[in-house]
Amino acid sequence: MKIDFTGKRILVTGAGKGIGYEIVRHLIQECNGEVVALSRTQTDLDALRAEYGCECIQVDLADVEATREKVGAAGRIDLLVNNAGIAILESFLETTTEAFDLTMAINVRAALIVSQVVARGMIERGEGAAIVNVSSQSSMRALSDHTAYCASKGALDQLTRVMALELGKYRIRVNSVNPTIVMTPMGKRAWADPAKSGPMKARIPLGRFVDPHHVSQTVAYLLSEHAGMINGVLLPIDGGFLAT
Ligand code: NAP
């Protein structure tokens, strides 16, 4: 399936590492898109610019005003990937309000405010558009020590559905991808210990974790016209984990 985003400007958040980095590479190298990469650490953005020549936005998505201002200043955005996320591992009884609030701010609120800014431009241009939110299998299954994370991804899934409902009339499609574990810097922090990762892998019918390119391929598909009637879907990329 050939996906061609020639002439499309695509904003990817959380682009500096892991899944976001691979989404940027995929959209530029395999789909010919023009990417605007948003992330927090300047050196990561410098590396992206050096490697792929993409436009970059440095901002901490916890800062609502700075985020609105910098995303607004980026100008026309045709397609959006809300990928940035954090995972702070705490058991339910030990979950702090600080960790909970920060997780909700990055994993849910940032997707809301970035999408609001970008969707207003998409509606004005009236050309139709697509947004993909990067959620997780943890929106639908409980994982130990992931209280705030699971809650935030459950909220992100419902944000996706409401966006799909309200933006559909403008021909803006909104979907999520919900991967199982990916061994990115985030994935390694939680799952590097074989005593933890072994039992999790055993629950996946395909018997392996996801590679970043499985996510980037699915994101590109959902952004593309090949998915032209897919709207409001929460798509697992999980080797069958959620089927069990
Ligand atoms: P990662 O390796 O930790 O990379 C996350 C990226 O997001 C980093 O570049 C990070 O920048 C950026 N980011 C985080 N907080 C930010 C903030 N406040 N402002 C701006 N940028 C920020 O994570 P990942 O594994 O690639 O995860 C990407 C997405 O996939 C997340 O939404 C995650 O929940 C989801 N996901 C991951 C897995 C997994 O197993 N890895 C599974 C399912 C879903 P800094 O490093 O500079 O903070």
Side-chain angles (χ1 to χ4, degrees), residues 14 16-20 38-41 44 59-62 83-86 106 134-136 149 153 179-182 184-187 189:
K17 297 184 176 76
I19 294 169
L38 182 155
S39 207
R40 182 165 51 178
T41 302
D44 288 343
V59 75
D60 183 342
L61 290 165
N83 164 75
I86 58 168
I106 307 306
V134 180
S135 183
S136 164
Y149 187 78
K153 294 299 186 179
T180 186
I181 284 104
V182 192
T184 61
M186 176 194 286
R189 279 194 297 276

Side-chain angles (χ1 to χ4, degrees), residues 195-210:
K196 279 181 79 180
S197 62
M200 171 57 75
K201 212 176 273 180
R203 293 169 66 187
I204 300 172
L206 290 182
R208 56 177 291 206
F209 292 152
V210 162

Side-chain angles (χ1 to χ4, degrees), residues 139-154:
S139 68
M140 297 179 233
R141 288 289 184 282
L143 298 179
S144 292
D145 301 329
H146 283 71
T147 306
Y149 187 78
C150 287
S152 73
K153 294 299 186 179

Side-chain angles (χ1 to χ4, degrees), residues 1 3 7 19 64 70-71 94 218 234-235:
M1 179 176 31
I3 294 176
I19 294 169
V64 174
K70 293 199 177 184
V71 172
E94 302 300 328
T218 312
L234 318 173
L235 183 56

